[in-house]
Amino acid sequence: MSWKIDCREATHLVLQGEDQPLSWADRLRLRMHLAICVACPRFVRQVALMRQAIGGWRAYKDGDEDPPG
């Protein structure tokens, strides 16, 4: 396993981390890449923004429903 990863693998790890915890080695590889890359930290922020927007939509949707009874 190489410690240096490209942007494609970094985005894969970011998205995989949304679904399941990453191994310590993958977290380290991703952090090392994010420290030297300009574009990938932007992608991480975009994913976080999408997660936040979906959470807000769910809260809005849940609050918009009529209570039973």
Side-chain angles (χ1 to χ4, degrees), residues 51-63:
R51 184 182 342 108
Q52 182 183 9
I54 290 170
W57 176 79
R58 284 183 180 151
Y60 174 78
K61 181 182 174 223
D62 291 344

Side-chain angles (χ1 to χ4, degrees), residues 4-11 14 29-45:
K4 186 173 181 180
I5 60 174
D6 60 11
C7 293
R8 184 181 302 244
E9 189 167 358
T11 56
V14 169
R29 293 167 65 214
L30 180 59
R31 283 181 179 238
M32 290 174 59
H33 180 81
L34 293 174
I36 61 170
C37 184
V38 175
C40 288
R42 291 180 190 156
F43 178 72
V44 171
R45 288 192 301 272

